Amino acid sequence: MGFLEETAREVLEFTTNAVFSERYARRDGLLQRIDPRVKVVSLVVIVATVVSLERIDLILAFYFLALALAVLSRLPVIEFTKRVWVFIPIFTGVIALPSIFMIPGEPAFHLFGLTASREGIRWAVLFTLRVATAVSYAILFTMTSRWNDIVSALASFRIPGMVITITTLTYRYIFLLAKLLLDAMHARRARLAGELGMVESWKEAGKHIGATFIKANALGEDLYYAMLSRGYANEIEPLREFKAGKVDYAFSAFTVLLVVLTFAFTRGLL
Amino acid sequence: MHIPDGYLGPYTCAFFYLIMIPIWYKAFRWLKNLKPSQVPLLGVLTAFAFLVMMYNMPVPGGTTAHIVGGTIIAILISPWAATVSLSIVLLIQALFFGDGGITTYAANVFNMGVVLPFVGYYTYKFLSERFKLNEVISAGIGAYIGIVTAATVAGIELGIQPYIQPGYCPYPLRVSVPAMAIAHLVTAGPAAAVVTAAVVWYVKKSRPDLFAMRTIARG
Amino acid sequence: MKVYELRNVSYRYPTGEWALRGISMEVERGETLAIVGPNGAGKTTLLKLMDALVMPTEGEILFEGKLITEDTMTDKEFRRKVGFLFQNPDVMLFSATVLEDVAFGPVHLWGKERGLKRAREELRRLGIEKLADRHPYSLSGGEKKKASIACVTAMEPEVLLLDEPTRDLDLRNRNFVLDMIRSWKGERKTVVVVTHDLRLIRLADRVYVVNKEILFEGTPRELFSRPELIERANLDVPEIVRLFHELGINEIPLSVGEAVEILRGLLQR
Amino acid sequence: MKVYELRNVSYRYPTGEWALRGISMEVERGETLAIVGPNGAGKTTLLKLMDALVMPTEGEILFEGKLITEDTMTDKEFRRKVGFLFQNPDVMLFSATVLEDVAFGPVHLWGKERGLKRAREELRRLGIEKLADRHPYSLSGGEKKKASIACVTAMEPEVLLLDEPTRDLDLRNRNFVLDMIRSWKGERKTVVVVTHDLRLIRLADRVYVVNKEILFEGTPRELFSRPELIERANLDVPEIVRLFHELGINEIPLSVGEAVEILRGLLQR
């Protein structure tokens, strides 16, 4: 049952996060005003740049830029930072720590008979900071964008309409199925004296998932009829239309400049 | 199994984006085989796949292990449907969860949305058709082999980093592959096998007509 | 003029079970028709047949004198004229915002710009413009029902098929729906409503009792005067009707107001 | 003796919204208690709190004088004593057969053999042994409800928490559920029922009107004599009660039988 309860909790956290995201996405800040298409492209370009950087000082600069953008977008900086570092998976630490001792090089300090190297420490800092900076930009994006804007932006990138339709429906019905799953879990818990064994809990999970599949299936059927009744012809068209304005051009120019300067700098051209 | 940003170097990331382009093209083309009534259904089933993937257990030395709905969707509809579903699920997870990454998105889709469902599905098909093995057991074994293979592939992707460009995942193949593989052999693998077998058994018993749906979808 | 004519219609589920057998039925333009019957009587299937979402296994259905065929399924004109309010609002609200859901039908009919305008208008008309940007997940049951009504009415249908429209609603929201139906009645729209709700049945001009086949056809008053039929249809007899039966009063009151008048008359004597 | 004691209990959803605020409530052993209120009033959450499925954000809940804690969630004794009938039977039934679902609780309590025996007994007692091998998916609405009742009663609970047990049922099945509750009342079991159904409210010894907080506590008769409260609770006033109000009769009839007697008395005079 631990398995299922864990799942339910995750689902709740997800919905909570989604609700929070929407809340900040409605604020009147810098990134909220930017065309989602520009934002998507900028996000990908900036994160790719961060990932390819090998200098701690430059990554740190990008990290602070992310914080500055968070402030300009009226995001609560403390919560933003917390979400970034909570999102950095525990295993980043699990990976980073031992490598301090494993990567050979000039000894820095000794612990329990192990020798930490300067190279190891440098690597661990570089690695963790890079992950954190990349995640910061992703979260910056999610906290300032609304889901239907993101989907509309994807649609304008020539992603087939059917994929957009499926994505829209997915996002909508995650909430509904999550609620059903949570209720089913509660209904089981209400009749469960004690705890389930591990294999038994997997089997229970299998039944839950099977039942959810059948419900999802029935829902899919009804959904089709409801859509057909209103003139559905294979696709849901996103309604949002974007017009790039001054802010968008300025932000695009800023991103391009940022990336070009960074590369020029790392290649020793500046 | 989600590889976050910063674990794979830029070359590896670009490589997988290139690999994925023709695969996505093929998968999106496959969607045209769906009847109008099956499009909403696939939307709801993708939501279902998303929920199935919610449960993460940390794996020492690797990233995460969890059940992936890929084999289930591959068996119940088609491996191409699983590719589309998982691409959408991983996109939502990367954008809203920080689960997985943006630069590593293509690599993650390749592991969980291509390797996993195709290996799982063809193992299942091979066992149940050639060896006349019980469909439920075949599905379980398929899911097991699918998830372990996908994890091994992820381990290889991580493990080649030190050889390509230092500064990303530091562990060489001899560490990363066993770490990912063993974690999935002993934890997520058996869980996925039992869950997948249970789902197939359950659906076969309660809605055999849904199994008939596959032939239509593959049309 | 007849809006619908069903001739000996039967429908079999893919599982092989019969949902409906030999249904013959007519719906006049402008009338409000109630369809009642026990759980599993095939009432929802009947509405789906009328909305050309599924095709009859046997028999034929005429809409405005024209036969409904597979082509009707994707016929724009038909889709505009006939609106279907599903029982479960969750299947009607499938987009990321209420506005997009309400605009879904109109956009298919009239294109993006006019469709969106129509959707906004309809939300305003129903007094729920504040829901436009909300995600369907965050709506209450009553708000969901109102939003799904807007989805249907935004297409300006002439015929409304309603599947248990007052179910799962509390009093206030039920009243909203009843008022809606009254206003459609006033506008001489054709309304076919599947329901268990007695207040709704009383609004109807005519009632069919269905349980896989047609058991009764007549006015609500005729229906309430036949307790054996009501029992067969597995319906509640309205309390005031039961009260009058037990008091041995011959008249059948259709509302509390009527009952008050009749009893006042008797008490004054 | 008090079965439940809620002291200033509040519950906040993970989204940050309050479902319930400052609820203080007592449930006596053997009483039938109805909880009524509009949609979204936190009634289901209240039952979940009483069944130790969720923990209060603030305040405390005592069951038989002992504080409910996280440990209560997995406490065998507590799970046996308290049964929870969910509103939607689909969330209670998802094994391959009805028998397996009904046996789920008993098997975990008493082991496989005795548990299965108990489950079979219970199916027989409710007259649904023919459903034992059926898959829950293939059941009708009424059969599902009966099967889910068997799931709960197979554990021989002393306290029953019921969430809208008559909702979505037709007359015959609603009567089955009402008879069930009457028999529990007769056995002096403690019943806490969340409902909109007036027939059910009339069965209760006591009623709480809840809308995030407690608005009223008293007998059904007291509730029906206060129309302003009923409106605030978003409830239907029973037709016969409205009839009596409008006729200016001071008595409040709780059933058609009572109304017949009162009116007969008046008519004979």
Side-chain angles (χ1 to χ4, degrees), chain A residues 47-54 92 95 123 127 130-131 134, chain B residues 1-17 62-63 100-112 150-171 173 176 180:
Chain A
V47 172
T49 309
V50 168
V51 166
S52 59
L53 287 178
E54 290 184 352
T92 303
I95 285 195
W123 180 86
F127 178 74
R130 190 155 52 198
V131 172
Chain B
M1 212 189 293
H2 294 71
I3 304 175
D5 281 320
Y7 281 56
L8 299 182
Y11 299 116
T12 320
C13 296
F15 173 76
F16 279 103
Y17 270 100
T63 51
I102 289 152
T103 52
T104 53
Y105 173 66
N108 283 326
V109 174
F110 181 78
N111 302 338
M112 284 179 271
T152 308
V153 172
I156 293 171
E157 288 158 13
L158 291 166
I160 55 171
Q161 294 310 312
Y163 306 104
I164 302 175
Q165 195 182 1
Y168 298 93
C169 183
Y171 301 101
L173 288 168
S176 68
M180 286 299 281

Side-chain angles (χ1 to χ4, degrees), chain C residues 56-126:
Chain C
T57 316
E58 286 167 15
E60 48 191 32
I61 303 173
L62 280 76
F63 176 73
E64 296 185 339
K66 268 187 306 196
L67 192 68
I68 287 185
T69 64
E70 293 268 350
D71 290 336
T72 318
M73 271 193 182
T74 50
D75 182 62
K76 275 198 174 187
E77 195 47 29
F78 179 82
R79 290 284 164 236
R80 193 197 62 73
K81 279 190 178 161
V82 183
F84 190 154
L85 184 71
F86 283 72
Q87 187 182 314
N88 178 2
D90 277 322
V91 306
M92 298 194 61
L93 305 170
F94 42 76
S95 305
T97 65
V98 170
L99 177 68
E100 279 175 67
D101 274 319
V102 175
F104 181 84
V107 165
H108 274 91
L109 280 178
W110 300 303
K112 216 177 217 180
E113 204 185 332
R114 215 184 122 196
L116 267 174
K117 210 177 135 234
R118 186 72 263 280
R120 286 224 177 76
E121 252 171 51
E122 195 59 28
L123 284 170
R124 210 170 311 123
R125 209 176 64 81
L126 294 185

Side-chain angles (χ1 to χ4, degrees), chain A residues 139-181:
Chain A
I139 289 178
L140 208 48
F141 177 77
T142 27
M143 284 178 91
T144 58
S145 315
R146 297 179 59 187
W147 173 254
N148 48 339
D149 289 342
I150 298 175
V151 174
S152 306
L154 292 178
S156 59
F157 294 142
R158 294 181 174 266
I159 290 178
M162 240 192 251
V163 178
I164 299 292
T165 301
I166 295 169
T167 309
T168 302
L169 296 178
T170 301
Y171 184 73
R172 164 72 176 95
Y173 289 103
I174 285 171
F175 293 97
L176 195 74
L177 291 178
K179 210 160 161 281
L180 272 176
L181 192 71

Side-chain angles (χ1 to χ4, degrees), chain C residues 32 180-189 191 203-205:
Chain C
T32 299
M180 206 75 228
I181 295 173
R182 264 183 219 113
S183 80
W184 292 328
K185 228 175 122 89
E187 295 162 30
R188 304 291 300 149
K189 298 204 181 217
V191 180
L203 275 184
D205 301 312

Side-chain angles (χ1 to χ4, degrees), chain B:
Chain B
M1 212 189 293
H2 294 71
I3 304 175
D5 281 320
Y7 281 56
L8 299 182
Y11 299 116
T12 320
C13 296
F15 173 76
F16 279 103
Y17 270 100
L18 286 179
I19 292 270
M20 277 312 296
I21 286 169
I23 299 178
W24 272 323
Y25 182 75
K26 179 99 207 305
F28 293 169
R29 289 270 307 252
W30 175 87
L31 281 180
K32 302 240 175 339
N33 293 338
L34 287 174
K35 292 195 299 182
S37 64
Q38 287 176 313
V39 177
L41 181 64
L42 191 55
V44 179
L45 291 187
T46 304
F48 159 80
F50 183 97
L51 283 186
V52 170
M53 283 175 70
M54 289 295 299
Y55 180 63
N56 283 310
M57 18 187 170
V59 177
T63 51
T64 40
H66 52 77
I67 299 167
V68 180
T71 310
I72 299 175
I73 295 194
I75 291 173
L76 292 172
I77 303 179
S78 147
W80 290 113
T83 303
V84 175
S85 278
L86 268 294
S87 301
I88 293 169
V89 168
L90 289 169
L91 181 76
I92 296 177
Q93 286 185 324
L95 288 181
F96 274 91
F97 260 90
D99 228 357
I102 289 152
T103 52
T104 53
Y105 173 66
N108 283 326
V109 174
F110 181 78
N111 302 338
M112 284 179 271
V114 180
V115 174
L116 187 145
F118 276 89
V119 170
Y121 174 72
Y122 282 103
T123 306
Y124 153 83
K125 206 174 145 146
F126 183 73
L127 292 175
S128 61
E129 285 177 12
R130 286 287 174 78
F131 287 92
K132 300 284 166 233
L133 194 65
N134 176 299
E135 264 193 278
V136 173
I137 295 170
S138 306
I141 297 174
Y144 186 80
I145 294 180
I147 198 168
V148 172
T149 313
T152 308
V153 172
I156 293 171
E157 288 158 13
L158 291 166
I160 55 171
Q161 294 310 312
Y163 306 104
I164 302 175
Q165 195 182 1
Y168 298 93
C169 183
Y171 301 101
L173 288 168
R174 69 188 147 79
V175 181
S176 68
V177 173
M180 286 299 281
I182 290 169
H184 286 81
L185 277 166
V186 300
T187 58
V194 173
V195 169
T196 306
V199 170
V200 171
W201 169 76
Y202 184 85
V203 174
K204 255 180 84 93
K205 191 157 176 164
S206 51
R207 283 293 300 273
D209 56 307
L210 292 185
F211 260 72
M213 188 175 83
R214 297 181 298 171
T215 46
I216 311 164
R218 270 183 224 124

